Amino acid sequence: MKNIITSLMLAFSVYSYSQTEKETDSIVETSINALDEIVIVKKKVLYTQKSDRMVFNVENSIVSEGGTALDVLSRAPGVVVSQDGELSIRGQQGVGVMINGKLTQLSQKELANYLKSTTSSNIKQIEVITNPSSKYDATGKAGIINIILKKPSNSGLKGTAFSSYGRGRKNRTNSGINLSYNKDKFGVYGNYSYTFRGEEERKKYDQIQYTDNTRQEIVTKNYQNATTDEPLTSNNFKIGTTYEISPKTNLEAYVDAKIGRYENIANGRNTLLNAQDQLQFDALTYNDSKEKWNDYTYAFSGVHKFDTEGKNMTFDFEYETSKFRSNQFQSAQNTDQSSSTVINDRRGFIPSQLKVFTGKVDFTNPLKEKESIEWGFKAGLKNNDNPSVYEYNENNQWIIDANSTNHFEYKEQIYAAYANYKYQMEKLNIQGGLRTEYTAINILQKTLNEEHKDDYLKWFPSVSMKYEFNENNSVHASYSKRINRPSQFDLNPFRFYDDSFNYSQGNPNLVPEITHAAEIGYAWKSTFMASVYFSKTKDVFTEVYVYNPATNTTVTSQINVDKSYNYGVNITNTNEIYKWWSLNTLFNVFENKFMGNTVNTDIIDPIITFNLSAQNAFTISETWKAEANAQYQSKSNLGIYERADFFDFSIGISKQILANKGNIKLNFTDIFNTNNFDIKSVIGQTGINKQYELDNRIATIAFTYRI
């Protein structure tokens, strides 16, 4: 079935046709500050292609309704989501995530939980920005994903109420309301959403230990499996106000709160065999991790327009305080009567408090009729306090584990300044800029009374251009330099246990990744877009593992590898097959090449990977619409791992009701249950194969009503 659908998708991409007209192009965009827009289709489009980004119009997608932000991101062009919620773009990890243009400060795990608890009904667009201008933060070697939420209405009392129910292996519900009231110079708005996400995953984790890196002679075989129950509950609300001081000055203030809890209950088994398949160890395992968090953001922003046409200033100040707590309990019961091995129960108390202040001021100055310059400043101060305590049970007493317990405090300061120049001629549009960021880091391990300080100044140039040969043909090109800093969790050297036999620990010697990325593209009739891209990353992060057969324990960490290359071709094609049927096809071919010593080898074989996505939209009548969307990605490499190919096929149908104020949507995601996450190691003395049977096959019914 997978091969048949893939062949049909390719056929649609190559042989279909289009009669769309050219849309207006502009190098200046006041709200998002993007370059040279090319609208793919004339109707309510699913994708919009720009020179530096692809825009996914979520509100026009039926199958995205009733899901979460993380579900929607997995359908964004070029984006892949791992089983842990880590994002990658075009096969590259290290992605900056923004909400309404503001960079998030959450860890990968906290961000994944937040995205799982954010309903897709509140999302307007998702921008995949591969080469951001110097106005954006330089973070994220693969680029930036900007999640744009729906804005309140401009006048009167307006609002939207929504509710959905979904069923996979577990139940999922989501309900909420958005309200806004604007009169004269004053406006107030607010929203609230409640999310419950039931989820069950099935995991297999097989390891084979060899005598050496040639992998010819086996020493031991280890087989682990587990079934997890992962309920997540969240309450998110936001309330804000706007005020027009004068026709030239507007102010806005809001409070944004995220309160949630998550539990991971896993029951499994761990079996160890020798080379002759004789039982060495056999245990039933149990893991219970309970997490709670509350996150509050207080923001104040404004815009002032000067007397000169096009000259303005914007400012934005934010203070975020977040508390996170994880309580863990892990046990393993040895079922092998002949073995004398005893596994102690473990428990962990892992609180974390994050405080972040960010402030920025941006100016736009017209120089001449066709020229303008943007410039500004930004400061970011972060403090994360993480006093973790681990204990193990021995002789019915809980004893502190000195190897895992640690009080870790992380302080980070980033100060930035930038200037961005724009010049628009009749056929040639140019934008170029330079950003500088000074970073100061102070790491204090209070348990060991050790302190580590680091500071560095980096420069980040960027440039982009577009040239129109005529009304139907144009080319664009862009370049940017990016940085991906290790997080405080990547640097913390103490242990974080997933279960009794697997734990991860940070590496305090990690240094930032630096990436140079370039892209050149061609567009024809706003219908066919093709681009070639290339990037080189120095000191690239790579996950590594060490297996100890004596204790049957695997330790996962990260190191810096010398460099990596990412290059490929991206093609977007839009076709109106019939008046009632339109097709958006995205095709991406890429290869990742890693160079440098990793797990006692200098060679990681590169893999040519292709990703194909076909989004079909059907207009049945004025009130009935449907979608059928498919995505396939071939085998790819993630550092020392190979990821198996995966396929996703989803359908949806919607009906306008109640005088077109209401809408009912029914969708089925991952119908064939083929969007799983399977990886295996390809180098080293230990062979690892991880299989995650994810809970992606979901049936959802959603109702939305415009007040």
Side-chain angles (χ1 to χ4, degrees), residues 15 98 359 460 549 554 604 700:
Y15 296 110
M98 298 192 301
F460 303 97
T554 301
I604 300 177
T700 304

Side-chain angles (χ1 to χ4, degrees), residues 17 46 51 82 91 111 137 152 162 184 229 239 263 302 328 331 343 346 396 418 430 470 484 535 542 562 576 619 657:
Y17 62 91
L46 192 62
S51 66
S82 76
L111 178 61
D137 290 79
F162 57 88
D184 299 328
D229 183 14
I239 184 168
E263 188 169 7
Q328 295 183 333
S331 67
I343 308 108
R346 299 184 56 84
N396 294 322
Y418 76 92
I430 299 175
N470 51 50
N484 190 36
S535 69
T542 302
D562 183 28
E576 190 173 289
T619 302
I657 59 174

Side-chain angles (χ1 to χ4, degrees), residues 165-172 198-200 202 669 694-700:
Y165 169 77
R167 176 72 187 185
R169 299 186 184 117
K170 302 286 185 178
N171 294 324
R172 304 184 182 194
E199 187 170 9
E200 178 186 297
R202 297 153 190 173
T669 60
L694 305 178
D695 195 358
N696 287 331
R697 182 159 56 183
I698 312 291
T700 304

Side-chain angles (χ1 to χ4, degrees), residues 491-524:
L491 297 170
N492 191 338
F494 279 73
R495 302 174 183 177
F496 184 91
Y497 278 84
D498 297 316
D499 56 47
S500 300
F501 306 98
N502 297 276
Y503 66 86
S504 59
Q505 59 185 156
N507 178 3
N509 297 315
L510 280 178
V511 299
E513 300 174 297
I514 300 295
T515 297
H516 297 266
E519 181 172 335
I520 184 169
Y522 166 79
W524 176 74

Side-chain angles (χ1 to χ4, degrees), residues 41 95 158 522 683:
V41 287
V95 178
K158 301 291 182 180
Y522 166 79
I683 61 173

Side-chain angles (χ1 to χ4, degrees), residues 63 93 110 139 240 258 276 299 310 344 371 469-470 488 568 592:
V63 298
Q93 297 172 323
E110 292 169 334
T139 188
K258 313 171 190 70
Q276 290 74 39
N344 294 318
E371 297 177 75
F469 296 99
N470 51 50
Q488 61 267 30
N592 289 322

Side-chain angles (χ1 to χ4, degrees), residues 1-10 632 645 647:
M1 175 62 70
K2 181 169 66 175
N3 292 334
I4 294 174
I5 295 177
T6 302
S7 300
L8 289 172
M9 292 160 60
L10 281 168
Y632 174 75
D645 63 332
F647 175 71

